[in-house]
mmCIF file of all heavy atoms in Angstrom:
data_model
loop_
_atom_site.group_PDB
_atom_site.id
_atom_site.type_symbol
_atom_site.label_atom_id
_atom_site.label_comp_id
_atom_site.label_asym_id
_atom_site.label_seq_id
_atom_site.Cartn_x
_atom_site.Cartn_y
_atom_site.Cartn_z
ATOM 1 N N ILE A 7 -6.254 -3.717 -11.028
ATOM 2 C CA ILE A 7 -5.508 -2.627 -10.406
ATOM 3 C C ILE A 7 -5.463 -2.904 -8.904
ATOM 4 O O ILE A 7 -6.445 -2.693 -8.187
ATOM 5 C CB ILE A 7 -6.165 -1.261 -10.684
ATOM 6 C CG1 ILE A 7 -6.446 -1.096 -12.180
ATOM 7 C CG2 ILE A 7 -5.269 -0.143 -10.168
ATOM 8 C CD1 ILE A 7 -5.227 -1.162 -13.064
ATOM 9 N N LEU A 24 -1.102 -7.276 -21.271
ATOM 10 C CA LEU A 24 -1.278 -7.124 -22.716
ATOM 11 C C LEU A 24 -0.194 -7.821 -23.524
ATOM 12 O O LEU A 24 -0.384 -8.104 -24.704
ATOM 13 C CB LEU A 24 -1.313 -5.631 -23.089
ATOM 14 C CG LEU A 24 -2.449 -4.803 -22.467
ATOM 15 C CD1 LEU A 24 -2.398 -3.372 -22.987
ATOM 16 C CD2 LEU A 24 -3.795 -5.422 -22.754
ATOM 17 N N PRO A 128 -35.897 -1.341 -9.618
ATOM 18 C CA PRO A 128 -37.222 -1.421 -8.980
ATOM 19 C C PRO A 128 -37.971 -2.646 -9.499
ATOM 20 O O PRO A 128 -37.585 -3.258 -10.500
ATOM 21 C CB PRO A 128 -37.906 -0.115 -9.419
ATOM 22 C CG PRO A 128 -37.157 0.341 -10.629
ATOM 23 C CD PRO A 128 -35.751 -0.138 -10.457
ATOM 24 N N ASP A 160 -33.209 -10.131 -5.866
ATOM 25 C CA ASP A 160 -33.011 -8.885 -5.114
ATOM 26 C C ASP A 160 -32.993 -7.670 -6.033
ATOM 27 O O ASP A 160 -32.498 -6.599 -5.669
ATOM 28 C CB ASP A 160 -31.703 -8.917 -4.308
ATOM 29 C CG ASP A 160 -31.709 -9.995 -3.248
ATOM 30 O OD1 ASP A 160 -32.782 -10.237 -2.689
ATOM 31 O OD2 ASP A 160 -30.648 -10.595 -2.993
ATOM 32 N N ARG A 257 -2.408 -20.391 -13.437
ATOM 33 C CA ARG A 257 -2.210 -19.604 -12.221
ATOM 34 C C ARG A 257 -3.497 -19.586 -11.392
ATOM 35 O O ARG A 257 -4.600 -19.555 -11.942
ATOM 36 C CB ARG A 257 -1.791 -18.168 -12.570
ATOM 37 C CG ARG A 257 -0.538 -18.091 -13.426
ATOM 38 C CD ARG A 257 0.028 -16.683 -13.439
ATOM 39 N NE ARG A 257 -0.944 -15.681 -13.806
ATOM 40 C CZ ARG A 257 -1.233 -15.332 -15.053
ATOM 41 N NH1 ARG A 257 -0.641 -15.954 -16.067
ATOM 42 N NH2 ARG A 257 -2.125 -14.384 -15.304
ATOM 43 N N LEU A 296 11.800 -17.987 -13.363
ATOM 44 C CA LEU A 296 11.671 -16.717 -14.084
ATOM 45 C C LEU A 296 12.930 -16.427 -14.888
ATOM 46 O O LEU A 296 12.872 -15.948 -16.022
ATOM 47 C CB LEU A 296 11.387 -15.578 -13.093
ATOM 48 C CG LEU A 296 9.957 -15.495 -12.561
ATOM 49 C CD1 LEU A 296 9.890 -14.583 -11.342
ATOM 50 C CD2 LEU A 296 9.012 -14.984 -13.638
ATOM 51 N N GLY A 299 12.896 -18.505 -17.870
ATOM 52 C CA GLY A 299 11.804 -18.228 -18.796
ATOM 53 C C GLY A 299 10.709 -19.268 -18.776
ATOM 54 O O GLY A 299 9.859 -19.300 -19.663
ATOM 55 N N TRP A 335 2.636 -3.882 0.750
ATOM 56 C CA TRP A 335 1.739 -5.037 0.649
ATOM 57 C C TRP A 335 2.018 -6.029 1.773
ATOM 58 O O TRP A 335 1.095 -6.537 2.424
ATOM 59 C CB TRP A 335 1.920 -5.703 -0.716
ATOM 60 C CG TRP A 335 0.803 -6.606 -1.114
ATOM 61 C CD1 TRP A 335 -0.297 -6.274 -1.853
ATOM 62 C CD2 TRP A 335 0.652 -8.000 -0.795
ATOM 63 N NE1 TRP A 335 -1.115 -7.365 -2.019
ATOM 64 C CE2 TRP A 335 -0.568 -8.443 -1.377
ATOM 65 C CE3 TRP A 335 1.410 -8.920 -0.081
ATOM 66 C CZ2 TRP A 335 -1.018 -9.751 -1.265
ATOM 67 C CZ3 TRP A 335 0.950 -10.221 0.038
ATOM 68 C CH2 TRP A 335 -0.241 -10.625 -0.553
ATOM 69 N N LYS A 338 0.726 -4.764 5.064
ATOM 70 C CA LYS A 338 -0.711 -5.003 5.212
ATOM 71 C C LYS A 338 -0.980 -6.444 5.627
ATOM 72 O O LYS A 338 -1.781 -6.707 6.525
ATOM 73 C CB LYS A 338 -1.440 -4.704 3.900
ATOM 74 C CG LYS A 338 -2.946 -4.984 3.970
ATOM 75 C CD LYS A 338 -3.601 -4.850 2.630
ATOM 76 C CE LYS A 338 -5.119 -5.089 2.725
ATOM 77 N NZ LYS A 338 -5.469 -6.405 3.295
ATOM 78 N N THR A 393 3.820 12.010 11.626
ATOM 79 C CA THR A 393 4.657 13.116 11.145
ATOM 80 C C THR A 393 4.842 13.043 9.636
ATOM 81 O O THR A 393 4.784 14.061 8.937
ATOM 82 C CB THR A 393 6.033 13.095 11.839
ATOM 83 O OG1 THR A 393 5.841 13.214 13.255
ATOM 84 C CG2 THR A 393 6.909 14.237 11.352
ATOM 85 N N ASP A 500 -35.963 -8.314 13.739
ATOM 86 C CA ASP A 500 -35.271 -8.669 12.493
ATOM 87 C C ASP A 500 -33.755 -8.610 12.671
ATOM 88 O O ASP A 500 -33.025 -9.472 12.156
ATOM 89 C CB ASP A 500 -35.697 -7.723 11.364
ATOM 90 C CG ASP A 500 -37.143 -7.937 10.933
ATOM 91 O OD1 ASP A 500 -37.696 -9.009 11.266
ATOM 92 O OD2 ASP A 500 -37.701 -7.038 10.278
ATOM 93 N N THR A 589 -9.453 0.803 25.795
ATOM 94 C CA THR A 589 -10.662 1.179 25.062
ATOM 95 C C THR A 589 -11.890 1.060 25.951
ATOM 96 O O THR A 589 -12.816 1.870 25.871
ATOM 97 C CB THR A 589 -10.835 0.273 23.828
ATOM 98 O OG1 THR A 589 -9.688 0.405 23.002
ATOM 99 C CG2 THR A 589 -12.063 0.658 23.035
#
Side-chain angles (χ1 to χ4, degrees):
I7 310 300
L24 299 183
D160 297 325
R257 303 195 307 274
L296 283 165
W335 198 93
K338 178 187 182 303
T393 301
D500 291 343
T589 301

